[in-house]
Amino acid sequence: MTPQTSSAPHQTSRYVRVLSIAGSDSGGGAGIQADLKTFSALGCYGMTAITAITVQNTLGVTGIHSIPVDILRGQIDAVVEDIGVDAVKIGMLATPEVVRTVADALRRHGLQQVVLDPVMVATSGDRLIAEDTKDVLVRELFPLATVVTPNLDEASLLIGRTIDGIDALEAAASDLLALGAPAVVVKGGHLPGDWVVDLLAAQDGLRRTLESPRIATHNGHGTGCTLSSAIASHLALGLPLADAVAHARSYILEAIRAGAAVRTGHGHGPLNHGHAPVAQIIRRS
């Protein structure tokens, strides 16, 4: 008897792959560490290209050591060429040379679904990038991003003025779009009040306001890193941008709530990233 054969194409199984290009937080609450926790909690396979090593805990940042750009470039190339990438989250890029290295890698590899979190100021108030990096970041990376996710301090540095209320979010978003970002999420969590209001805006006219009651907690370290990595995860999982932002925001709110009363360290503690973990998702292609 002749063995039966199938003409169906061979299927392979793989994980949903998200790359974080960011700095390392030795305290584990922000940066690469928060990104990996978020990717895992949302069912994705996380990979890293470390841009800098910070001396950091819940009290603040006391030292920054930038990774040589050839090592940074090598990390990105090694991951992309072997494993592949479905989405990218970009965090702390301390110097113009690092920004250019990352931008070059995105172009060379044609990487899509890029979430740029322009990390400039830590939760503790410590400045994390060199003064001359801002303009290079805007020029090189804004056009390559799917969405840019500044908090109020970062948005103010980028547009050159203070954002002093919810009514100013729309104008700030418009100015950020004018700098070349295809879409932005302006995070209003630093504004006073019982409600937190964020604004998603895009070049195609999309505007979506996302509101929620403020959660009382001392544990807000790494919220920006976590939100941007959650957006990248949901983009990698196939959601359109507006849905990815909404789902990411829901995840981070529950992570804040679940860790609100926990004491970690003596300063601003981390979120509870693992409050509702999703089993690692496997795709067939």
Side-chain angles (χ1 to χ4, degrees):
M1 179 181 294
T2 303
Q4 291 185 340
T5 60
S6 172
S7 59
H10 177 67
Q11 286 192 330
T12 58
S13 300
R14 66 170 182 83
Y15 298 123
V16 178
R17 307 153 299 182
V18 190
L19 169 64
S20 172
I21 305 173
S24 169
D25 171 8
S26 51
I32 286 283
Q33 287 79 357
D35 295 342
L36 287 174
K37 292 172 187 177
T38 302
F39 300 156
S40 180
L42 295 174
C44 297
Y45 178 80
M47 304 163 290
T48 65
I50 298 175
T51 62
I53 297 170
T54 67
V55 181
Q56 185 174 177
N57 55 24
T58 64
L59 297 172
V61 180
T62 57
I64 299 174
H65 172 71
S66 291
I67 300 298
V69 291
D70 59 330
I71 298 298
L72 171 59
R73 183 184 303 109
Q75 291 177 84
I76 299 171
D77 292 349
V79 166
V80 175
E81 293 167 4
D82 177 40
I83 300 170
V85 173
D86 297 306
V88 181
K89 176 265 172 79
I90 300 174
M92 177 185 172
L93 306 176
T95 67
E97 189 178 23
V98 168
V99 173
R100 294 188 186 99
T101 299
V102 172
D104 174 69
L106 296 181
R107 295 188 190 97
R108 284 189 293 109
H109 294 295
L111 296 178
Q112 306 293 314
Q113 308 280 49
V114 177
V115 180
L116 173 60
D117 188 24
V119 177
M120 299 177 179
V121 183
T123 303
S124 59
D126 297 294
R127 188 163 182 138
L128 297 175
I129 67 169
E131 186 67 34
D132 56 351
T133 303
K134 181 187 72 172
D135 292 342
V136 180
L137 184 77
V138 169
R139 184 173 63 252
E140 294 284 339
L141 284 177
F142 269 42
L144 300 176
T146 302
V147 62
V148 182
T149 62
N151 63 28
L152 287 187
D153 292 334
E154 292 153 353
S156 295
L157 284 172
L158 288 164
I159 64 176
R161 69 172 188 277
T162 301
I163 304 167
D164 54 8
I166 293 172
D167 293 341
L169 292 179
E170 171 66 35
S174 296
D175 286 353
L176 289 166
L177 293 175
L179 291 175
V184 296
V185 176
V186 184
K187 299 175 290 191
H190 290 176
L191 291 173
D194 295 332
W195 284 76
V196 175
V197 179
D198 303 323
L199 177 63
L200 166 63
Q203 294 281 5
D204 62 6
L206 170 68
R207 296 292 187 277
R208 180 169 295 183
T209 301
L210 303 126
E211 304 180 46
S212 57
R214 188 177 299 277
I215 300 168
T217 180
H218 197 61
N219 299 325
H221 184 49
T223 51
C225 301
T226 300
L227 179 65
S228 55
S229 56
I231 294 171
S233 296
H234 286 299
L235 289 174
L237 290 166
L239 293 185
L241 177 60
D243 291 341
V245 171
H247 280 69
R249 199 173 184 276
S250 295
Y251 165 76
I252 193 174
L253 288 173
E254 290 306 313
I256 294 171
R257 185 174 288 110
V262 179
R263 173 57 65 181
T264 305
H266 297 87
H268 296 283
L271 319 182
N272 184 344
H273 293 89
H275 67 278
V278 175
Q280 190 133 299
I281 295 167
I282 298 174
R283 284 184 172 163
R284 287 173 169 76
S285 58

